[in-house]
Amino acid sequence: MKKILTAAAFAAMAMIPSAANAWDETGYYYPEQEPDSIWQDWQFFAKADIEWAGLNAGFFSYDTEVKKRVSKDPNVKKFQWAFVEWFASGADLIVEYDPETKHFRIPVQRKGVNNLWDGEPFLLTGWREFYGTDDPYSSWDEVNGILNLYTMEYYPNQDNGDGTFGDKAYAFGTNKIQMQGFTKYDIDIQAPECVSSFDLKASLVMTPHPKNACYELINDLVIPYDTTTFVRVATDRRNPLDATKELNFTLKEGVNSIVCASYDGDGKLYHSVRNIYCMPEDAANWKSLGKGRFTEDAVLGLGGEWTPTTLDVEIEEHQTRAGFYRLVDPYKDLAAKWKDLTYTHDEHRHYMYVDATNPNLVMLGATVPGIFVNDNLKDAYLTSKAYEMKRAGRLQPEYAPYCGKLKDGKITFPSGAVGVRLPEYTKTLGNDLVYWVNLNEAFAVELPATNGVDTIGEAADEEAEYFTLQGVRVACPADGEIVIVRRGGKVSKEMFRK
């Protein structure tokens, strides 16, 4: 997003002597660009992230497209970049580079921001053209795609107010440019974050540099700092990758991860990971129980003026796993109640999965709720401490205290047992960070009423269905066996007696 350049920004101007150059009849330099006829046509080179070093330096960055063209003479190694709509100019910036001499040249170019005094456009050029000596600041790292580029924006032959004339420079310095597609030695995984189909088509885009690359689909959550998983994938090398490929994957419902591993020339391991949430409609395996209630104290527990909020939500139950529920778009109406919240994923339905097949060990899995928390925190991902501990290989006695409970049709969780992961906010820390919330112990799911059955006696008249604690249906449990019993819309854990 480009900022607007204001007149106030011109206050800190500097006086810098100019190198000898030719003048035209209006007192301005001739543009020094060679004719287009000596160059091949422009070709797309890369997308780039630019931290601009001109006015407001250090406070401004933006994305742009970079084009490249080479000489028609095959013996000439120098080439030119064109930075599309260079900031503050409204036009492309042309930069020439010679890889043999490492010299940069920025032909003098008239640009579109007007001089405050006479309405003329400013001139933009580089160190070598302005000072006539080698550029001490510009450099090009062709392996990592990092370009440091010194630029000078100035007005020539300006009246200094004392009878002398000189070039007045208004913005100058070294721009930091990161070309995309060059970074690290990893694989760019191009896949959507959330899908409604079990079938996924994704592209694994190779840069020229990775060695011994491979990939693996893992039907579980892999966080960007899970070094154990990356080492295993790199060691197994089940799917060697030697070029960019478009691949078909079969996902499971819930969270999945595509993990790529590769090495640089020195044998250092790099990795890429893309978490994909599969949330199909899957009407054949789920049935609606009706409207229940969801009280949010996770995202709203991050602070500010937010307080726990209760919403009406549709709740579905799995057809063959009694007590395994999913909430339909539970966060969709939350954004309307609190500022700084936006429901960002509305291309299909989103679900929050709650495994209450064991009412005393209710598990909330990792999910993407589709909620966006202001510009600083961005996308919020839900998880639970019991799920994270179980995924890390901890035993049930260790994670059981952090599980939720289902009692009297209401699922609750202990304080600090529900978590919010904010990847965009925490990735600069270099490790994964989960904010453990539900400090009000308000995060809860109230199951729908049992299909209009108002009394215990009436519910008892419903035909009972029996399931093991693992969710497997059984026709007749053994005497004394602990089972999950579903009568109509009511689910309970009972000891079976013949």
Side-chain angles (χ1 to χ4, degrees), residues 31-36 39 42 65-69 79-86 89 91-97 104-111 124-126 129 147 149-151:
E32 294 184 349
Q33 173 64 287
E34 297 105 332
D36 288 340
W39 300 100
W42 289 108
E65 179 181 318
V66 184
K67 298 181 292 185
K68 178 184 176 181
R69 64 180 178 182
F79 60 84
Q80 290 190 336
W81 284 297
F83 295 90
V84 176
E85 293 191 4
W86 184 258
S89 70
D92 296 357
L93 169 66
I94 296 176
V95 176
E96 189 172 293
Y97 178 67
F104 289 83
R105 193 175 83 87
I106 303 179
V108 178
Q109 299 159 60
R110 284 189 173 92
K111 298 302 177 185
L124 193 150
T125 190
E129 289 68 44
L147 172 64
L149 182 66
Y150 187 91
T151 57

Side-chain angles (χ1 to χ4, degrees), residues 198 217 219-220 250-256 276-280:
F198 292 110
L217 173 67
N219 296 128
D220 201 348
T250 300
L251 308 178
K252 78 169 183 78
E253 188 164 7
V255 64
N256 304 259
I276 302 160
Y277 294 83
C278 179
M279 298 182 173

Side-chain angles (χ1 to χ4, degrees), residues 367-390:
T367 189
V368 51
I371 202 74
F372 183 94
V373 187
N374 67 47
D375 288 335
N376 292 323
L377 304 182
K378 300 187 178 180
D379 286 314
Y381 298 82
L382 218 60
T383 186
S384 68
K385 188 168 289 187
Y387 169 80
E388 296 286 332
M389 294 176 69
K390 182 178 180 181

Side-chain angles (χ1 to χ4, degrees), residues 314-368:
E314 181 184 358
I315 298 179
E316 298 177 340
E317 185 179 23
H318 201 273
Q319 294 275 30
T320 61
R321 295 184 61 194
F324 186 43
Y325 305 102
R326 68 181 188 182
L327 281 62
V328 181
D329 288 325
Y331 281 79
K332 191 170 185 178
D333 295 328
L334 193 66
K337 295 183 178 293
W338 295 100
K339 63 180 181 179
D340 294 332
L341 294 180
T342 306
Y343 188 76
T344 57
H345 304 286
D346 54 4
E347 63 273 13
H348 60 81
R349 305 177 96 182
H350 276 229
Y351 301 97
M352 184 171 74
Y353 296 92
V354 183
D355 186 351
T357 53
N358 185 335
N360 291 318
L361 296 172
V362 177
M363 187 78 70
L364 175 68
T367 189
V368 51

